[in-house]
Amino acid sequence: MTQQHILLIEDEVNIAKFVELELKHENFQVTVSHDGREGADLALNHAYDFMLIDVMLPNLNGLEICRRVRRKKSTPIILITARDAIIDRVSGLESGADDYIVKPFAIEELLARIRAVLRRIEPSEKKVKNELSIKGLTVEQKAHQVFYEGNEIELTKTEYDMLVYLMENFNMVLTRDNILEKVWGYDVEVETNVVDVYIRHLRKKLPADIAALIETVRGVGYVMR
């Protein structure tokens, strides 16, 4: 089996070394950078299977690196942050990250999150219907693009994944836990309000008549109908 190559951008040398050794023990190939600008250059100009990016970095922060990568690549990203506030986690996910992990973390949790993200992005072309369409809104899944009456709508990866999930389950009520499991790929026990935040973001970006199709089911979750 080909080794998967992970880029680790972490300025705390001891943490970086520890994570690097554990990842290599799990048979990953690892490239390490301790600087934001150098890490961004590596991320943008080389091919990796996965990226682990610390938020607080010298010269260029991890959120900006994530945003720059997302403009060009769909490489899965987990952000490493020392802050556990909802707004910090939402900012990380808004920048295009697939997941986040808060310091201090157990290496077992990090490995589990890496595997969960990798499972979620595994290609399943036979199962994917390329085009979804509702009332003038069209999603081209292979291109990861969303259009309304021919005009493209810019969505973050998480907003896009949430919209696709709602459209694929049209008329079906989805609980917040359903959405967390599908969009983020793992169970988040006390953070279901993150779903509410993203629903608000999504509604704001969609045309009013499409946003109105996303209904809140009080005490349960959401449905598109």
Side-chain angles (χ1 to χ4, degrees):
M1 180 183 292
T2 304
Q3 272 190 318
Q4 290 177 305
H5 194 173
I6 294 180
L7 173 64
L8 170 63
I9 310 175
E10 167 60 71
D11 65 316
E12 294 187 52
V13 176
N14 289 338
I15 292 177
K17 189 63 178 176
F18 170 69
V19 172
E20 179 187 10
L21 290 173
E22 292 292 338
L23 290 173
K24 286 182 175 179
H25 181 71
E26 295 295 320
N27 202 36
F28 291 105
Q29 182 182 350
V30 185
T31 294
V32 180
S33 173
H34 303 298
D35 176 82
R37 290 197 183 280
E38 178 192 64
D41 180 68
L42 289 169
L44 292 169
N45 296 302
H46 299 271
Y48 299 97
D49 299 296
F50 208 100
M51 298 182 188
L52 297 171
I53 305 175
D54 188 28
V55 172
M56 302 300 291
L57 291 166
N59 298 315
L60 190 67
N61 70 59
L63 295 179
E64 181 58 28
I65 296 173
C66 191
R67 281 190 285 266
R68 293 184 185 186
V69 170
R70 277 293 167 261
R71 293 187 196 119
K72 295 185 175 183
K73 301 182 177 185
S74 59
T75 309
I77 296 172
I78 290 181
L79 287 176
I80 302 170
T81 176
R83 298 183 294 191
D84 194 28
I86 285 289
I87 187 63
D88 296 314
R89 297 199 293 273
V90 169
S91 295
L93 295 168
E94 273 291 294
S95 71
D98 296 274
D99 197 0
Y100 55 83
I101 190 166
V102 179
K103 295 177 182 177
F105 53 82
I107 192 65
E108 292 81 6
E109 180 185 4
L110 177 60
L111 291 169
R113 288 175 182 257
I114 290 172
R115 293 187 186 108
V117 172
L118 288 172
R119 281 196 303 271
R120 194 165 82 239
I121 65 166
E122 283 177 355
S124 53
E125 293 296 330
K126 293 180 181 177
K127 298 179 182 179
V128 172
K129 182 180 178 182
N130 181 44
E131 185 176 291
L132 298 171
S133 185
I134 297 172
K135 288 187 66 175
L137 183 77
T138 301
V139 175
E140 297 286 349
Q141 292 203 76
K142 289 182 180 178
H144 278 245
Q145 290 179 295
V146 179
F147 298 92
Y148 180 71
E149 296 182 347
N151 298 310
E152 186 171 2
I153 299 173
E154 295 288 342
L155 299 179
T156 67
K157 182 181 183 302
T158 303
E159 291 163 353
Y160 170 87
D161 289 343
M162 184 175 285
L163 176 62
V164 168
Y165 189 43
L166 289 165
M167 291 177 71
E168 286 178 335
N169 293 276
F170 200 74
N171 286 326
M172 184 179 295
V173 176
L174 303 172
T175 68
R176 289 173 175 82
D177 286 336
N178 290 153
I179 297 171
L180 283 170
E181 178 65 25
K182 177 65 178 181
V183 176
W184 280 271
Y186 61 93
D187 293 321
V188 185
E189 294 178 0
V190 292
E191 299 170 359
T192 54
N193 53 344
V194 171
V195 173
D196 302 326
V197 171
Y198 270 88
I199 288 288
R200 287 199 298 271
H201 288 320
L202 182 57
R203 283 171 170 160
K204 286 179 181 178
K205 290 187 178 182
L206 294 173
D209 60 333
I210 299 297
L213 299 178
I214 303 175
E215 299 179 13
T216 302
V217 181
R218 192 172 300 277
V220 180
Y222 296 92
V223 59
M224 194 172 195
R225 58 188 173 197

